[in-house]
Amino acid sequence: MARPRKQTYTLDMYLKKNRKGDIDNNADVQRNFVWNNEQINELIVTVLTDDYIPPIILGEEEDSKLHIVDGGCRTAALRRFREMNYKITSAIENSAIPYKKKVTDKKGNITYVDAVFDIKNKTYEKLPEELKEKFDEYQIETVIHESCDSLKISGYIKRYNNHVAMNTDQKAFTYIDRFAGQIRRIMDTRFFVECNNYSEKDKTKGVIERIIVETMMCMNHFENWKSQAKAACKYLNDHATEEEFERFASNIHRLENIVTEDIRGVFNKKDSFVFLTLFDRFVKLGEKDAKFAAFLRHFNRELRLVKRNEKGLLFDEIDRELSTKDRQVIADKLDMLEGMLTEFLQEETVQKDVSGSFQSSPESFIAGNLNMDIEAVRADMDLYESSLDVLLEKTVKLDSGLRDPENRLSLLAMMVYSYREDRDLDDWMAQYARTNDTYLADQKQNFSRMKQAFEKYCKEKRKTA
């Protein structure tokens, strides 16, 4: 089979051949015109600035008639502007077109001077003569498959149109070229690969890029929040800094070390940027990262189900009347979450032992709550720690809230209590874990609740013995 041949036309000649039917744009399987105004505008700017347009693919029948295989929408768009009075819309970017303006002086001498023409709201007929000529003389490349029939032409149309156009998020990403490299590197981190609730489809549709852009806007430029992805990308391209992206990358690496299966669900395509912004604010408090993970567990299990704010709404009800990308909705979500987080951290800080002094160590907590000598407790702490680890391994699931680091004081105290009373915790702990995987932030109260539950369990067991 012979290789396709190449043919170059002036744009004026190409469109005339299309208009006369020598180059047909109506193959049976060719799709209808689907371009929007933005796409038409961009194509016309490409021609007027003499930039590159990919070749139009044609199929040639034995009688020399040509059929457009790939490039039908480009052809139709160019004809709309050249012959059908299409007006460039005001939303066009880069509308100022430079050109050489022809100037004739009184003596008939011709010179060419630099000039600029704004094509907003202009049709072809409103262009200066110089730009009309530039449009008409543009070199349009074609590639022609010879010896075609309708079956071959249909096959070529299927082959050349077997692609997926950029969606809104993917196209928006092209407007943040200054930081595209940093964003790609952040996307490759373990957090965006494993520690989230994004689908594989999300990861190929530009959703992750959008989430990163939204987070950067929310973290650093919320006063200039842009709800549209394209506008946000353009804003960051002009105003973001390397340091802002470096701080975000650092946050992501810290989250990788604390996000577990039970809390990864909050990092979904709808609310990720809100929780990533919340973590950025949490980092500035100087608290240990594990406390943020503990907060997310508490949020998922309890706080998400509590009506808050002046309107008496749940967290998931805040966006029920407005868009999830509305600036006020985002502000309300962050206000609610920050309030919850502050209360959660304060409850932990106020943790006290029985003497009224701030808890300083597991040994002092155990000694105070079980009325034991602290040195005796300290001497056997390795035994208590290892025994607790074995107990949890046998009786409590990995994702249970009972395993949270903040809950370990109560569990250690229960282990010491079982040794002192010479009573086995295994059966009780298995039952307790099945029916209750939450804990009180106040570990003194939490231990008291566990101890009461254990005594009740032992009493009922004695009755049935």
Side-chain angles (χ1 to χ4, degrees), residues 383-415 424-434 436-437 450:
L383 171 64
Y384 301 144
E385 293 273 7
S386 60
S387 297
L388 177 59
D389 289 338
V390 172
L391 175 65
L392 292 176
E393 186 70 23
K394 291 194 298 184
T395 61
V396 182
K397 294 180 179 179
L398 288 174
D399 60 351
S400 172
L402 294 176
R403 283 179 172 264
D404 288 353
E406 292 78 9
N407 199 37
R408 192 168 178 86
L409 283 177
S410 298
L411 293 171
L412 276 171
M414 285 300 300
M415 180 56 65
D424 191 356
L425 289 177
D426 290 34
D427 293 338
W428 169 77
M429 183 61 77
Q431 182 191 78
Y432 192 78
R434 286 195 302 269
N436 188 345
D437 69 344
M450 283 188 178

Side-chain angles (χ1 to χ4, degrees), residues 360-368 371-381:
S360 57
S361 69
E363 291 88 345
S364 64
F365 179 83
I366 292 167
N371 195 25
M372 296 174 64
D373 179 77
I374 191 169
E375 293 302 322
V377 175
R378 186 173 287 118
D380 291 324
M381 273 304 293

